[in-house]
Amino acid sequence: MNRKSATVPSPGVINRYFDRLPVGAATPIVTLGEGGTPLLLSDRLSKEADAEVWLKYEGLNPTGSFKDRGMTVAVSKAVEGDTRLVVCASTGNTSASAAAYSARAGIPCAVVVPKGGVAAGKLSQAVMHGARVFEIDATFDKALRIVTELAEGRQVTLVNSTNPFRLEGQKTAAFEVVEDLGRTPDIHIMPVGNAGNITAYWRGYREAVELGWSVGRPRMYGVQADGAAPIVRGRVVDQPRTIASAIRIGDPASRSGALEAAGDSGGSIVSVPDDAIVEAYHSVAREGVFVEPAAAASVAGLRHLSRSGLVPRGSTVVCVLTGHGLKDPEVALVHGLQPERVEPQVDALLERLQLA
Ligand code: AN7
């Protein structure tokens, strides 16, 4: 691996933000060309909220989620530090990303996931990239406790967001937002699971101000699912439940980071019901943007805040769409329009399409 291991359109977040990340000349850069994701204006949501609503489409990262921004830094540092094994617990996306970046680096990876709790697309990535995948009959939270203990005092690198390099990489998404928008948004909305990403965005927005790249900070809103809302409720949820499997987390490791982001920025952490998540999931898909249910929580959150009068008219709003829709084909096939059967003839199709 060397610094020339990827080319445009995205040179990867380490090459792009080298000076802002905890890397040096001795750090081998393990990249898949992450970052540089589109910021899309949503006509539909802008009209609906009477605001300017932008979608940061993180599903277009190499493994289909924002995790890649952090994983490139975490795995690069792991290689620099001569690790024997990369491990993580995961609701799916972290395991997909860890597996891919470990494969890229040529180091072994093991992931521990809640049995039946990971969407098919994500599991398929982890197995294809050659990670050892261990399923346990327990929650993500339990899996995280196990791998944390496993990594302690061994030459094993934990790449959950408790790994400080992960959040450093993930803060680059906030840099891109202020750069692409040409200003700081007034309101920033994103899903919250283990709460690492909201912690990272808040850090990124603050650093952008310190660097003179932007002025002011957005109000930060985190969105949990009603059935998995430990931060909103102020207590651990033993059996978190939601259709959005990525954020089915009951005991967030970065809880304090989320509270700080929301508190210091004048925002908050809110929760939304699953049916609002599913509605938002359809809504963005109908604008051509396919996201997984957890990502749609951002948009459900926007609607919730808008109804509560918390989105002033004309505000600039960024909703982060954290993961790609192809990650979770089962949910799409249950909740989307069903394929229709038709005779294999043009006439039959013409009739069904009312073109006859
Ligand atoms: C699509 O993969 O925790 O609040 O183990 O996959 O930083 O945890 C995934 C989390 C939002 C929440 N959207 O981010 C994992 C995992 C998607 C996600 C989140 C996740 P954090």
Side-chain angles (χ1 to χ4, degrees):
M1 287 296 156
N2 58 48
R3 290 191 60 184
K4 289 232 166 57
S5 51
T7 55
V8 288
S10 177
V13 300
I14 297 180
N15 286 312
R16 186 163 175 199
Y17 296 109
F18 194 85
D19 296 340
R20 305 308 319 156
L21 294 171
V23 289
T27 313
I29 298 176
V30 182
T31 182
L32 290 164
E34 62 293 319
T37 57
L39 189 66
L40 306 165
L41 182 65
S42 168
D43 287 334
R44 175 190 285 223
L45 294 171
S46 297
K47 269 198 203 92
E48 200 182 293
D50 202 2
E52 193 181 294
V53 180
W54 295 86
L55 306 172
K56 179 67 170 159
Y57 193 14
E58 288 287 277
L60 291 196
N61 276 294
T63 76
S65 86
F66 70 95
K67 305 284 182 183
D68 297 344
R69 292 180 185 275
M71 208 56 73
T72 179
V73 184
V75 172
S76 295
K77 294 302 283 188
V79 175
E80 184 181 350
D82 214 8
T83 198
R84 289 171 55 198
L85 175 72
V86 164
V87 295
C88 69
S90 184
T91 58
N93 280 324
T94 300
S95 65
S97 188
Y101 282 81
S102 298
R104 184 89 175 135
I107 49 177
C109 175
V111 309
V112 182
V113 300
K115 188 168 179 333
V118 173
K122 305 174 187 182
L123 213 48
S124 71
Q125 291 175 289
V127 297
M128 278 307 293
H129 293 307
R132 299 277 300 273
V133 178
F134 297 98
E135 294 183 324
I136 58 170
D137 260 318
T139 60
F140 162 84
D141 305 286
K142 175 76 177 171
L144 182 55
R145 286 195 288 274
I146 293 172
V147 293
T148 302
E149 193 180 328
L150 178 109
E152 242 158 57
R154 299 192 172 85
Q155 235 182 315
V156 170
T157 304
L158 181 67
V159 295
N160 282 98
S161 56
T162 45
N163 176 320
F165 300 122
R166 275 275 312 277
L167 299 194
E168 282 294 303
Q170 284 171 216
K171 76 183 179 188
T172 60
F175 295 166
E176 290 178 15
V177 168
V178 298
E179 193 174 331
D180 291 349
L181 215 50
R183 56 165 296 202
T184 305
D186 302 309
I187 294 176
H188 175 101
I189 309 173
M190 62 191 297
V192 168
N194 215 22
N197 208 28
I198 190 170
T199 306
Y201 266 94
W202 182 231
R203 186 183 298 172
Y205 280 124
R206 282 178 303 164
E207 278 186 28
V209 173
E210 284 161 24
L211 291 161
W213 294 351
S214 63
V215 180
R217 299 158 180 180
R219 283 204 294 287
M220 302 285 293
Y221 290 98
V223 188
Q224 302 192 296
D226 279 351
I231 302 180
V232 174
R233 292 189 207 299
R235 60 179 166 75
V236 170
V237 175
D238 290 328
Q239 291 298 330
R241 274 181 244 276
T242 168
I243 191 169
S245 58
I247 52 171
R248 200 178 285 150
I249 293 174
D251 188 9
S254 299
R255 178 191 290 97
S256 62
L259 288 169
E260 190 185 309
D264 291 357
S265 72
S268 65
I269 311 295
V270 300
S271 76
V272 293
D274 273 13
D275 57 4
I277 291 176
V278 171
E279 213 179 295
Y281 177 59
H282 281 282
S283 175
V284 287
R286 293 307 193 89
E287 279 197 281
V289 182
F290 194 22
V291 304
E292 65 172 288
S298 288
V299 172
L302 165 66
R303 289 183 166 150
H304 170 87
L305 296 168
S306 180
R307 272 198 305 274
S308 314
L310 289 168
V311 180
R313 205 175 170 164
S315 309
T316 302
V317 180
V318 169
C319 288
V320 184
L321 303 178
T322 44
H324 202 288
L326 290 172
K327 291 277 194 174
D328 201 341
E330 287 122 331
V331 175
L333 288 169
V334 169
H335 289 272
L337 284 174
Q338 295 304 304
E340 304 170 46
R341 287 200 61 141
V342 66
E343 293 303 314
Q345 281 142 12
V346 178
D347 286 350
L349 259 178
L350 286 171
E351 195 185 312
R352 295 289 284 280
L353 292 166
Q354 290 169 325
L355 294 170

PDB file of all heavy atoms in Angstrom, residues 66-67 89-94 140 191-197 246-247 249 292 294 322-323, ligand 1:
ATOM      1  N   PHE A  66     -21.419   5.099   5.465  1.00  0.00           N
ATOM      2  CA  PHE A  66     -20.472   6.101   5.983  1.00  0.00           C
ATOM      3  C   PHE A  66     -19.320   5.486   6.764  1.00  0.00           C
ATOM      4  O   PHE A  66     -18.307   6.148   7.019  1.00  0.00           O
ATOM      5  CB  PHE A  66     -21.207   7.080   6.908  1.00  0.00           C
ATOM      6  CG  PHE A  66     -21.651   6.469   8.212  1.00  0.00           C
ATOM      7  CD1 PHE A  66     -20.862   6.569   9.356  1.00  0.00           C
ATOM      8  CD2 PHE A  66     -22.844   5.776   8.306  1.00  0.00           C
ATOM      9  CE1 PHE A  66     -21.256   5.998  10.559  1.00  0.00           C
ATOM     10  CE2 PHE A  66     -23.246   5.192   9.505  1.00  0.00           C
ATOM     11  CZ  PHE A  66     -22.455   5.308  10.630  1.00  0.00           C
ATOM     12  N   LYS A  67     -19.454   4.231   7.157  1.00  0.00           N
ATOM     13  CA  LYS A  67     -18.431   3.600   8.003  1.00  0.00           C
ATOM     14  C   LYS A  67     -17.056   3.625   7.335  1.00  0.00           C
ATOM     15  O   LYS A  67     -16.027   3.631   8.009  1.00  0.00           O
ATOM     16  CB  LYS A  67     -18.802   2.153   8.299  1.00  0.00           C
ATOM     17  CG  LYS A  67     -20.169   1.949   8.913  1.00  0.00           C
ATOM     18  CD  LYS A  67     -20.210   2.314  10.377  1.00  0.00           C
ATOM     19  CE  LYS A  67     -21.595   2.036  10.952  1.00  0.00           C
ATOM     20  NZ  LYS A  67     -21.708   2.432  12.356  1.00  0.00           N
ATOM     21  N   ALA A  89     -17.822  -5.546  16.675  1.00  0.00           N
ATOM     22  CA  ALA A  89     -19.212  -5.992  16.818  1.00  0.00           C
ATOM     23  C   ALA A  89     -19.974  -5.164  15.812  1.00  0.00           C
ATOM     24  O   ALA A  89     -19.539  -4.073  15.457  1.00  0.00           O
ATOM     25  CB  ALA A  89     -19.710  -5.698  18.225  1.00  0.00           C
ATOM     26  N   SER A  90     -21.135  -5.652  15.358  1.00  0.00           N
ATOM     27  CA  SER A  90     -21.810  -4.844  14.356  1.00  0.00           C
ATOM     28  C   SER A  90     -23.268  -5.197  14.160  1.00  0.00           C
ATOM     29  O   SER A  90     -23.670  -6.348  14.296  1.00  0.00           O
ATOM     30  CB  SER A  90     -21.077  -4.991  13.018  1.00  0.00           C
ATOM     31  OG  SER A  90     -21.644  -4.146  12.045  1.00  0.00           O
ATOM     32  N   THR A  91     -24.031  -4.160  13.805  1.00  0.00           N
ATOM     33  CA  THR A  91     -25.392  -4.385  13.302  1.00  0.00           C
ATOM     34  C   THR A  91     -25.326  -4.574  11.781  1.00  0.00           C
ATOM     35  O   THR A  91     -26.354  -4.675  11.136  1.00  0.00           O
ATOM     36  CB  THR A  91     -26.323  -3.202  13.646  1.00  0.00           C
ATOM     37  OG1 THR A  91     -25.772  -1.997  13.079  1.00  0.00           O
ATOM     38  CG2 THR A  91     -26.467  -3.022  15.145  1.00  0.00           C
ATOM     39  N   GLY A  92     -24.134  -4.580  11.213  1.00  0.00           N
ATOM     40  CA  GLY A  92     -23.971  -4.926   9.806  1.00  0.00           C
ATOM     41  C   GLY A  92     -22.998  -4.072   9.028  1.00  0.00           C
ATOM     42  O   GLY A  92     -22.054  -4.589   8.421  1.00  0.00           O
ATOM     43  N   ASN A  93     -23.192  -2.776   9.024  1.00  0.00           N
ATOM     44  CA  ASN A  93     -22.350  -1.933   8.170  1.00  0.00           C
ATOM     45  C   ASN A  93     -20.896  -1.860   8.627  1.00  0.00           C
ATOM     46  O   ASN A  93     -19.983  -1.839   7.801  1.00  0.00           O
ATOM     47  CB  ASN A  93     -22.941  -0.524   8.068  1.00  0.00           C
ATOM     48  CG  ASN A  93     -24.083  -0.479   7.070  1.00  0.00           C
ATOM     49  OD1 ASN A  93     -24.046  -1.167   6.053  1.00  0.00           O
ATOM     50  ND2 ASN A  93     -25.106   0.315   7.364  1.00  0.00           N
ATOM     51  N   THR A  94     -20.687  -1.815   9.913  1.00  0.00           N
ATOM     52  CA  THR A  94     -19.305  -1.793  10.401  1.00  0.00           C
ATOM     53  C   THR A  94     -18.595  -3.081   9.996  1.00  0.00           C
ATOM     54  O   THR A  94     -17.427  -3.056   9.584  1.00  0.00           O
ATOM     55  CB  THR A  94     -19.260  -1.620  11.933  1.00  0.00           C
ATOM     56  OG1 THR A  94     -19.889  -0.378  12.263  1.00  0.00           O
ATOM     57  CG2 THR A  94     -17.837  -1.601  12.459  1.00  0.00           C
ATOM     58  N   PHE A 140     -26.552  -6.472  19.806  1.00  0.00           N
ATOM     59  CA  PHE A 140     -25.328  -5.774  19.403  1.00  0.00           C
ATOM     60  C   PHE A 140     -24.550  -5.313  20.634  1.00  0.00           C
ATOM     61  O   PHE A 140     -23.319  -5.408  20.686  1.00  0.00           O
ATOM     62  CB  PHE A 140     -25.672  -4.551  18.531  1.00  0.00           C
ATOM     63  CG  PHE A 140     -24.539  -3.563  18.432  1.00  0.00           C
ATOM     64  CD1 PHE A 140     -23.521  -3.741  17.504  1.00  0.00           C
ATOM     65  CD2 PHE A 140     -24.476  -2.467  19.286  1.00  0.00           C
ATOM     66  CE1 PHE A 140     -22.455  -2.845  17.433  1.00  0.00           C
ATOM     67  CE2 PHE A 140     -23.420  -1.563  19.220  1.00  0.00           C
ATOM     68  CZ  PHE A 140     -22.402  -1.754  18.293  1.00  0.00           C
ATOM     69  N   PRO A 191     -29.340   9.857  11.651  1.00  0.00           N
ATOM     70  CA  PRO A 191     -29.718   8.759  12.537  1.00  0.00           C
ATOM     71  C   PRO A 191     -28.667   8.547  13.627  1.00  0.00           C
ATOM     72  O   PRO A 191     -27.492   8.823  13.411  1.00  0.00           O
ATOM     73  CB  PRO A 191     -29.775   7.545  11.614  1.00  0.00           C
ATOM     74  CG  PRO A 191     -29.024   7.906  10.394  1.00  0.00           C
ATOM     75  CD  PRO A 191     -28.965   9.388  10.296  1.00  0.00           C
ATOM     76  N   VAL A 192     -29.111   8.037  14.761  1.00  0.00           N
ATOM     77  CA  VAL A 192     -28.190   7.743  15.861  1.00  0.00           C
ATOM     78  C   VAL A 192     -28.388   6.302  16.327  1.00  0.00           C
ATOM     79  O   VAL A 192     -29.512   5.884  16.611  1.00  0.00           O
ATOM     80  CB  VAL A 192     -28.419   8.711  17.044  1.00  0.00           C
ATOM     81  CG1 VAL A 192     -27.693   8.230  18.289  1.00  0.00           C
ATOM     82  CG2 VAL A 192     -27.941  10.115  16.677  1.00  0.00           C
ATOM     83  N   GLY A 193     -27.280   5.553  16.349  1.00  0.00           N
ATOM     84  CA  GLY A 193     -27.317   4.197  16.877  1.00  0.00           C
ATOM     85  C   GLY A 193     -26.371   4.128  18.058  1.00  0.00           C
ATOM     86  O   GLY A 193     -26.731   4.370  19.211  1.00  0.00           O
ATOM     87  N   ASN A 194     -25.100   3.843  17.760  1.00  0.00           N
ATOM     88  CA  ASN A 194     -24.096   3.812  18.822  1.00  0.00           C
ATOM     89  C   ASN A 194     -23.569   5.219  19.110  1.00  0.00           C
ATOM     90  O   ASN A 194     -22.744   5.426  19.977  1.00  0.00           O
ATOM     91  CB  ASN A 194     -22.957   2.871  18.401  1.00  0.00           C
ATOM     92  CG  ASN A 194     -22.370   2.113  19.554  1.00  0.00           C
ATOM     93  OD1 ASN A 194     -23.000   1.938  20.592  1.00  0.00           O
ATOM     94  ND2 ASN A 194     -21.149   1.663  19.403  1.00  0.00           N
ATOM     95  N   ALA A 195     -24.011   6.178  18.296  1.00  0.00           N
ATOM     96  CA  ALA A 195     -23.769   7.620  18.496  1.00  0.00           C
ATOM     97  C   ALA A 195     -22.361   8.098  18.140  1.00  0.00           C
ATOM     98  O   ALA A 195     -21.989   9.230  18.450  1.00  0.00           O
ATOM     99  CB  ALA A 195     -24.152   8.057  19.911  1.00  0.00           C
ATOM    100  N   GLY A 196     -21.597   7.264  17.459  1.00  0.00           N
ATOM    101  CA  GLY A 196     -20.278   7.690  17.034  1.00  0.00           C
ATOM    102  C   GLY A 196     -20.344   8.754  15.944  1.00  0.00           C
ATOM    103  O   GLY A 196     -19.610   9.747  15.975  1.00  0.00           O
ATOM    104  N   ASN A 197     -21.225   8.551  14.988  1.00  0.00           N
ATOM    105  CA  ASN A 197     -21.228   9.430  13.820  1.00  0.00           C
ATOM    106  C   ASN A 197     -21.662  10.851  14.154  1.00  0.00           C
ATOM    107  O   ASN A 197     -21.107  11.807  13.633  1.00  0.00           O
ATOM    108  CB  ASN A 197     -22.125   8.827  12.730  1.00  0.00           C
ATOM    109  CG  ASN A 197     -21.700   9.226  11.330  1.00  0.00           C
ATOM    110  OD1 ASN A 197     -20.521   9.504  11.082  1.00  0.00           O
ATOM    111  ND2 ASN A 197     -22.651   9.258  10.412  1.00  0.00           N
ATOM    112  N   ALA A 246     -29.904  -1.419  11.516  1.00  0.00           N
ATOM    113  CA  ALA A 246     -28.597  -0.775  11.733  1.00  0.00           C
ATOM    114  C   ALA A 246     -28.552   0.010  13.041  1.00  0.00           C
ATOM    115  O   ALA A 246     -27.503   0.132  13.663  1.00  0.00           O
ATOM    116  CB  ALA A 246     -28.264   0.151  10.561  1.00  0.00           C
ATOM    117  N   ILE A 247     -29.684   0.546  13.441  1.00  0.00           N
ATOM    118  CA  ILE A 247     -29.703   1.354  14.666  1.00  0.00           C
ATOM    119  C   ILE A 247     -30.474   0.657  15.796  1.00  0.00           C
ATOM    120  O   ILE A 247     -31.009   1.295  16.692  1.00  0.00           O
ATOM    121  CB  ILE A 247     -30.250   2.788  14.412  1.00  0.00           C
ATOM    122  CG1 ILE A 247     -31.602   2.767  13.699  1.00  0.00           C
ATOM    123  CG2 ILE A 247     -29.239   3.597  13.603  1.00  0.00           C
ATOM    124  CD1 ILE A 247     -32.284   4.142  13.627  1.00  0.00           C
ATOM    125  N   ILE A 249     -29.911  -0.554  18.656  1.00  0.00           N
ATOM    126  CA  ILE A 249     -28.853  -0.466  19.661  1.00  0.00           C
ATOM    127  C   ILE A 249     -29.447   0.112  20.945  1.00  0.00           C
ATOM    128  O   ILE A 249     -30.138   1.133  20.901  1.00  0.00           O
ATOM    129  CB  ILE A 249     -27.687   0.418  19.132  1.00  0.00           C
ATOM    130  CG1 ILE A 249     -27.003  -0.301  17.938  1.00  0.00           C
ATOM    131  CG2 ILE A 249     -26.682   0.744  20.228  1.00  0.00           C
ATOM    132  CD1 ILE A 249     -25.933   0.500  17.236  1.00  0.00           C
ATOM    133  N   GLU A 292     -31.129   2.592   3.071  1.00  0.00           N
ATOM    134  CA  GLU A 292     -31.643   1.568   3.978  1.00  0.00           C
ATOM    135  C   GLU A 292     -32.513   2.236   5.047  1.00  0.00           C
ATOM    136  O   GLU A 292     -32.432   3.463   5.248  1.00  0.00           O
ATOM    137  CB  GLU A 292     -30.492   0.772   4.582  1.00  0.00           C
ATOM    138  CG  GLU A 292     -29.566   1.571   5.476  1.00  0.00           C
ATOM    139  CD  GLU A 292     -28.581   0.648   6.180  1.00  0.00           C
ATOM    140  OE1 GLU A 292     -29.032  -0.084   7.084  1.00  0.00           O
ATOM    141  OE2 GLU A 292     -27.388   0.660   5.841  1.00  0.00           O
ATOM    142  N   ALA A 294     -32.502   2.570   8.285  1.00  0.00           N
ATOM    143  CA  ALA A 294     -31.865   3.416   9.313  1.00  0.00           C
ATOM    144  C   ALA A 294     -31.544   4.793   8.759  1.00  0.00           C
ATOM    145  O   ALA A 294     -31.681   5.812   9.447  1.00  0.00           O
ATOM    146  CB  ALA A 294     -30.585   2.752   9.834  1.00  0.00           C
ATOM    147  N   THR A 322     -27.223   7.549   5.665  1.00  0.00           N
ATOM    148  CA  THR A 322     -26.015   6.851   6.088  1.00  0.00           C
ATOM    149  C   THR A 322     -25.685   5.556   5.354  1.00  0.00           C
ATOM    150  O   THR A 322     -24.523   5.140   5.343  1.00  0.00           O
ATOM    151  CB  THR A 322     -26.120   6.551   7.589  1.00  0.00           C
ATOM    152  OG1 THR A 322     -27.457   6.063   7.845  1.00  0.00           O
ATOM    153  CG2 THR A 322     -25.875   7.784   8.425  1.00  0.00           C
ATOM    154  N   GLY A 323     -26.714   4.889   4.776  1.00  0.00           N
ATOM    155  CA  GLY A 323     -26.426   3.600   4.140  1.00  0.00           C
ATOM    156  C   GLY A 323     -27.294   3.355   2.911  1.00  0.00           C
ATOM    157  O   GLY A 323     -28.406   3.871   2.790  1.00  0.00           O
TER     158      GLY A 323
HETATM  159  C1  AN7 B   1     -26.852   2.927   8.070  1.00  0.00           C
HETATM  160  O1  AN7 B   1     -22.666  -1.252  11.706  1.00  0.00           O
HETATM  161  O2  AN7 B   1     -23.523   0.452  14.548  1.00  0.00           O
HETATM  162  O3  AN7 B   1     -24.722   6.355  15.665  1.00  0.00           O
HETATM  163  O4  AN7 B   1     -22.416  -1.850  13.763  1.00  0.00           O
HETATM  164  O5  AN7 B   1     -25.257   1.386   9.820  1.00  0.00           O
HETATM  165  O6  AN7 B   1     -22.486   6.103  14.592  1.00  0.00           O
HETATM  166  O7  AN7 B   1     -23.700   4.120  15.455  1.00  0.00           O
HETATM  167  C2  AN7 B   1     -24.203   0.947  12.350  1.00  0.00           C
HETATM  168  C3  AN7 B   1     -24.740   2.164  12.583  1.00  0.00           C
HETATM  169  C4  AN7 B   1     -26.757   4.910  11.149  1.00  0.00           C
HETATM  170  C5  AN7 B   1     -25.746   4.721  13.365  1.00  0.00           C
HETATM  171  N1  AN7 B   1     -27.025   4.496   9.916  1.00  0.00           N
HETATM  172  O8  AN7 B   1     -24.481   5.318  13.446  1.00  0.00           O
HETATM  173  C6  AN7 B   1     -22.821  -1.049  12.908  1.00  0.00           C
HETATM  174  C7  AN7 B   1     -23.525   0.157  13.360  1.00  0.00           C
HETATM  175  C8  AN7 B   1     -26.531   3.323   9.456  1.00  0.00           C
HETATM  176  C9  AN7 B   1     -25.733   2.534  10.296  1.00  0.00           C
HETATM  177  C10 AN7 B   1     -25.992   4.168  12.020  1.00  0.00           C
HETATM  178  C11 AN7 B   1     -25.482   2.947  11.619  1.00  0.00           C
HETATM  179  P1  AN7 B   1     -23.796   5.499  14.881  1.00  0.00           P
END
